[in-house]
Amino acid sequence: MIKYDKQHELDSVNGALAIRPTVEKVVDEICDRGYDLICFMGIGGTWASSLQVESHIKELSDLPVLVENAGQFNAMGNKRITDKSVVVFSSVSGNTAEMVVAMETLKARGVTTIGFVDVSDAPLAKDATYCITYPENEQLKFFMVADRFMKNAGQFPQYDEYYAQLDAHLAEALVSVAEASDEFACHFAQEHHDDQMHYFVGAGEQYGSTYSYAMCYWEEQHWLRTKSIHAAEFFHGMLEVVDRDTNVTVFLGEDAERPLAERVARFLPRVCARYTLIDSKDYELEGISPEYRGYLSHLVTHQVTNRIDVHIERINCHPMEIRRYYRQLKY
Amino acid sequence: MIKYDKQHELDSVNGALAIRPTVEKVVDEICDRGYDLICFMGIGGTWASSLQVESHIKELSDLPVLVENAGQFNAMGNKRITDKSVVVFSSVSGNTAEMVVAMETLKARGVTTIGFVDVSDAPLAKDATYCITYPENEQLKFFMVADRFMKNAGQFPQYDEYYAQLDAHLAEALVSVAEASDEFACHFAQEHHDDQMHYFVGAGEQYGSTYSYAMCYWEEQHWLRTKSIHAAEFFHGMLEVVDRDTNVTVFLGEDAERPLAERVARFLPRVCARYTLIDSKDYELEGISPEYRGYLSHLVTHQVTNRIDVHIERINCHPMEIRRYYRQLKY
């Protein structure tokens, strides 16, 4: 496979899972003190990851969780975030402008913050109450935090069994997905690398990744136009612009909102000849129990989209690193 | 002005404001009993209206509010909605499929519901704990509920003064906006009625209306392709697909998130020659104090977009009533 380092992928996921004792220590300390709110805060891709973990928590528990966009927080504030609240965030660079500003407010308010910052001496790393430094794997980090909060609240009793399976099998399983999807991904890229417009539909944990894939990958990195839409909303407006030649991809996961995506998947063939389904169910996850697959299906489809990206990049001769405006201009 | 009945508009807004004593009675009763959560529930346009009122409440108070999508609620549930919670919804037909299903769950759980249902003998009207029947003006209804909850919590002391101004001046002020914007709207429609793609950007209370305008008007009623994006998110991906010929409209309101939209408005002229700003500040609201304009700016821009719609409909010879698929097919 082009642009794929299997050993790096295995090490990356296993390394992320290995930070779990640190995550547990932090969350356990906070639970011992008590908290009134768990807020996942981000912007762009990290905001999308926050939506994913919010969906996961909502499916399984009644924990008081909310997602806050760092840019909106700086403009409007959020009076519900108090000195008893926990704010969880992630920043690869550790200097995301909006998050740096937000952090000043959070510090002044005495809010407890858990930061996953990939650069250990970056401003956000220094300012977080708890900083955990490990590269990539943002979703896995957020979900480990969430699962520990739910376990401590007595609402995720499967915690130990589930993580034993991840520790033993997740990394290999995800590599297998990448390998199994590469041929499809190459074909998909050939079909869609020059789309004038591409619609992406998802639900549940897949919604955050659908939004992020459309905006942070196709728009930002491939300069291809997209719209993402929640499957529940598809039938309340967007369907009217779908015709034979409309490019639509539906992501199907295995959590409680799967039926919403399935409804779109059933509708499309009647009106559209350019639709694609990317379904986590199509991929084996050896060693993972069926009842846990729903917690992971966004990681599965992400393996597939990663392979699509590699092929689009190659066909379009458009390196994914380049930006037209982002960090090229001051604005 | 074509397709404009001034007296109807005046009567419609004044009639909506006249239901306020009923709204107050309902909210006061609920506040006397106590509640643990205020949830605005909707799908499509009513979900978008819910986002608007959530933004308004968040700006001014720390009330426990959340927005739930009825379709997602039916698939995933929401364990935080209890028999002490209040769910507020709106349905023109009174038989919105997703909301009818959601209502069964809410009734079984003993949740208090406030329904604005335009048809008084529809299923949703019968099932709501409190049903208030008055046509149109969905945002005004939701905001009256929100403002009363905030007043009762001691977080909206300006309530009486503010509503005295609305009662005396709002209807006339909105008619003046429609009249003042018609020429611009006609020109905008001439420029954009055949766009292959149009981007809409908004923040704060304007975000819900931006999302709704893109999806429920351009896509659903004009069959024109759009993408809507929150102004805070614009700089985290979408900006990369904007070039000289990209059609982008930014809605600017006057609430706390205005600076987010202003940032996009400042950026666009540098990279794009087909952008438009629709700014509530450009319109006089006689009799409304400056400090209250932010609560109403979504109603102002809605007057402008209503006029745009009339002109697009005329130019495109595409009656806004017709649907390709919605309620034409079973799905």
Side-chain angles (χ1 to χ4, degrees):
Chain A
M1 292 203 295
I2 59 168
K3 252 194 140 178
Y4 195 76
D5 179 344
K6 178 174 169 173
Q7 194 56 50
H8 170 80
E9 296 297 321
L10 291 171
D11 294 344
S12 172
V13 172
N14 282 326
L17 289 167
I19 65 171
R20 188 159 56 88
T22 311
V23 170
E24 290 177 350
K25 190 165 169 294
V26 169
V27 173
D28 293 356
E29 254 184 58
I30 293 168
C31 290
D32 284 344
R33 287 203 301 273
Y35 59 89
D36 63 2
L37 189 72
I38 306 165
C39 169
F40 288 86
M41 188 178 286
I43 190 152
T46 53
W47 182 68
S49 298
S50 301
L51 296 179
Q52 295 183 273
V53 70
E54 179 194 36
S55 176
H56 177 62
I57 295 175
K58 200 175 130 185
E59 176 169 1
L60 297 167
S61 80
D62 67 358
L63 292 191
V65 63
L66 63 78
V67 169
E68 183 60 79
N69 182 292
Q72 292 181 256
F73 179 71
N74 295 334
M76 183 174 273
N78 187 323
K79 298 179 173 64
R80 290 164 71 188
I81 298 176
T82 74
D83 59 359
K84 294 188 178 55
S85 306
V86 192
V87 169
V88 189
F89 70 93
S90 166
S91 172
V92 172
S93 67
N95 65 13
T96 315
E98 288 89 344
M99 204 53 228
V100 170
V101 175
M103 180 57 87
E104 291 306 310
T105 310
L106 296 172
K107 277 199 305 184
R109 206 177 287 182
V111 179
T112 300
T113 51
I114 306 176
F116 293 99
V117 183
D118 293 12
V119 182
S120 63
D121 59 351
L124 288 169
K126 291 181 196 158
D127 283 341
T129 317
Y130 302 100
C131 176
I132 302 173
T133 294
Y134 182 80
E136 304 171 345
N137 299 283
E138 187 168 278
Q139 284 83 358
L140 208 44
K141 295 166 182 171
F142 278 4
F143 276 61
M144 285 194 285
V145 169
D147 291 343
R148 189 68 179 181
F149 270 113
M150 292 196 288
K151 174 193 159 53
N152 288 350
Q155 301 189 47
F156 199 76
Q158 62 274 49
Y159 185 92
D160 291 327
E161 182 182 270
Y162 171 58
Y163 276 100
Q165 291 186 9
L166 299 202
D167 289 344
H169 303 292
L170 181 64
E172 282 285 358
L174 293 179
V175 165
S176 299
V177 173
E179 290 170 346
S181 65
D182 191 54
E183 192 181 328
F184 156 78
C186 181
H187 177 73
F188 182 91
Q190 281 160 355
E191 281 289 308
H192 294 288
H193 68 95
D194 203 25
D195 285 359
Q196 292 309 294
M197 182 66 191
H198 197 106
Y199 292 93
F200 291 102
V201 187
E205 288 164 20
Q206 296 285 331
Y207 175 67
S209 47
T210 299
Y211 175 90
S212 167
Y213 189 55
M215 189 173 79
C216 304
Y217 290 78
W218 280 47
E219 291 183 341
E220 181 168 343
Q221 302 187 50
H222 298 302
W223 302 357
L224 290 170
R225 289 184 172 163
T226 67
K227 171 170 179 144
S228 59
I229 182 99
H230 195 289
E233 289 285 288
F234 175 85
F235 290 105
H236 292 268
M238 210 215 88
L239 80 167
E240 297 289 344
V241 297
V242 176
D243 61 18
R244 187 192 66 184
D245 302 318
T246 311
N247 305 292
V248 190
T249 293
V250 185
F251 291 102
L252 295 105
E254 294 165 64
D255 61 17
E257 290 191 9
R258 178 178 176 86
L260 299 173
E262 285 178 327
R263 190 180 181 209
V264 180
R266 280 195 306 273
F267 173 74
L268 284 173
R270 300 172 67 191
V271 303
C272 174
R274 297 265 302 165
Y275 75 93
T276 304
L277 310 181
I278 296 181
D279 188 345
S280 64
K281 259 197 177 167
D282 292 343
Y283 297 93
E284 199 182 357
L285 294 175
E286 210 182 307
I288 307 292
S289 299
E291 67 269 31
Y292 300 146
R293 290 178 55 101
Y295 312 163
L296 298 168
S297 40
H298 59 286
L299 299 179
V300 174
T301 53
H302 189 50
Q303 293 296 321
V304 181
T305 59
N306 278 345
R307 296 312 303 159
I308 291 171
D309 290 333
V310 167
H311 292 291
I312 290 181
E313 181 180 51
R314 173 181 54 80
I315 297 169
N316 285 356
C317 298
H318 180 105
M320 291 175 69
E321 295 89 339
I322 64 173
R323 298 291 178 275
R324 221 180 226 140
Y325 312 122
Y326 186 70
R327 299 199 180 197
Q328 306 287 318
L329 288 173
K330 285 202 175 174
Y331 43 79
Chain B
M1 293 203 294
I2 59 169
K3 252 194 141 182
Y4 194 77
D5 179 342
K6 177 174 169 173
Q7 195 56 51
H8 170 80
E9 297 296 322
L10 292 171
D11 294 345
S12 173
V13 172
N14 282 325
L17 290 167
I19 65 172
R20 187 158 57 88
T22 311
V23 170
E24 292 176 349
K25 190 166 169 295
V26 168
V27 173
D28 293 354
E29 255 184 59
I30 293 168
C31 291
D32 284 344
R33 287 203 301 274
Y35 59 89
D36 63 2
L37 189 72
I38 307 165
C39 169
F40 288 85
M41 189 179 285
I43 190 154
T46 53
W47 182 68
S49 298
S50 301
L51 296 179
Q52 295 183 272
V53 70
E54 179 194 36
S55 176
H56 177 62
I57 295 174
K58 201 176 129 186
E59 177 169 1
L60 297 167
S61 80
D62 66 358
L63 291 190
V65 62
L66 63 78
V67 169
E68 184 59 80
N69 181 292
Q72 293 180 255
F73 180 72
N74 295 334
M76 183 174 273
N78 186 324
K79 297 179 172 64
R80 290 163 72 188
I81 298 175
T82 74
D83 60 357
K84 293 187 179 56
S85 306
V86 192
V87 169
V88 189
F89 70 93
S90 167
S91 172
V92 173
S93 66
N95 65 14
T96 315
E98 288 89 345
M99 203 55 228
V100 170
V101 175
M103 180 57 86
E104 291 307 310
T105 311
L106 296 172
K107 276 199 306 183
R109 205 177 288 182
V111 179
T112 300
T113 51
I114 306 176
F116 293 99
V117 182
D118 294 12
V119 181
S120 63
D121 60 349
L124 288 169
K126 290 181 196 158
D127 283 342
T129 317
Y130 302 100
C131 176
I132 301 173
T133 294
Y134 181 80
E136 305 170 343
N137 299 283
E138 188 168 277
Q139 284 84 357
L140 209 43
K141 295 167 182 169
F142 278 5
F143 276 60
M144 284 194 285
V145 169
D147 291 342
R148 190 67 180 182
F149 271 112
M150 292 196 287
K151 175 193 158 54
N152 289 351
Q155 301 190 47
F156 199 76
Q158 62 273 51
Y159 184 92
D160 291 326
E161 182 183 89
Y162 172 58
Y163 277 101
Q165 291 186 9
L166 299 201
D167 290 345
H169 304 292
L170 181 65
E172 282 285 357
L174 293 178
V175 165
S176 299
V177 173
E179 290 170 345
S181 65
D182 192 52
E183 193 181 328
F184 156 79
C186 181
H187 178 73
F188 182 91
Q190 281 160 355
E191 281 288 309
H192 294 288
H193 69 94
D194 203 24
D195 285 357
Q196 292 309 294
M197 182 66 190
H198 198 107
Y199 293 93
F200 291 102
V201 187
E205 288 164 20
Q206 296 285 331
Y207 175 67
S209 47
T210 299
Y211 174 91
S212 167
Y213 189 55
M215 189 173 79
C216 304
Y217 289 78
W218 280 47
E219 290 183 343
E220 181 167 345
Q221 302 187 48
H222 298 303
W223 302 357
L224 290 170
R225 290 184 173 164
T226 66
K227 170 169 180 145
S228 58
I229 183 98
H230 196 289
E233 288 284 289
F234 174 85
F235 290 104
H236 292 268
M238 210 214 89
L239 81 167
E240 297 289 344
V241 297
V242 176
D243 61 17
R244 187 191 68 183
D245 302 318
T246 311
N247 305 292
V248 189
T249 294
V250 185
F251 291 103
L252 295 106
E254 295 165 65
D255 61 17
E257 290 191 8
R258 178 179 177 87
L260 299 174
E262 285 178 328
R263 190 180 181 208
V264 180
R266 278 195 307 272
F267 172 74
L268 284 173
R270 300 171 67 190
V271 302
C272 174
R274 297 265 303 164
Y275 75 93
T276 304
L277 310 181
I278 297 180
D279 188 344
S280 64
K281 258 197 178 168
D282 292 343
Y283 298 94
E284 198 182 0
L285 293 176
E286 209 182 308
I288 307 293
S289 298
E291 66 269 31
Y292 300 146
R293 290 178 56 101
Y295 313 163
L296 298 168
S297 38
H298 58 287
L299 299 179
V300 174
T301 52
H302 189 51
Q303 292 296 320
V304 181
T305 58
N306 278 346
R307 296 313 302 159
I308 291 172
D309 289 333
V310 167
H311 292 291
I312 291 181
E313 180 179 52
R314 172 182 55 79
I315 297 169
N316 285 356
C317 298
H318 179 105
M320 290 176 70
E321 296 89 339
I322 63 173
R323 298 290 179 275
R324 221 178 225 140
Y325 312 123
Y326 186 69
R327 298 199 179 197
Q328 306 287 318
L329 288 173
K330 284 202 176 174
Y331 45 78

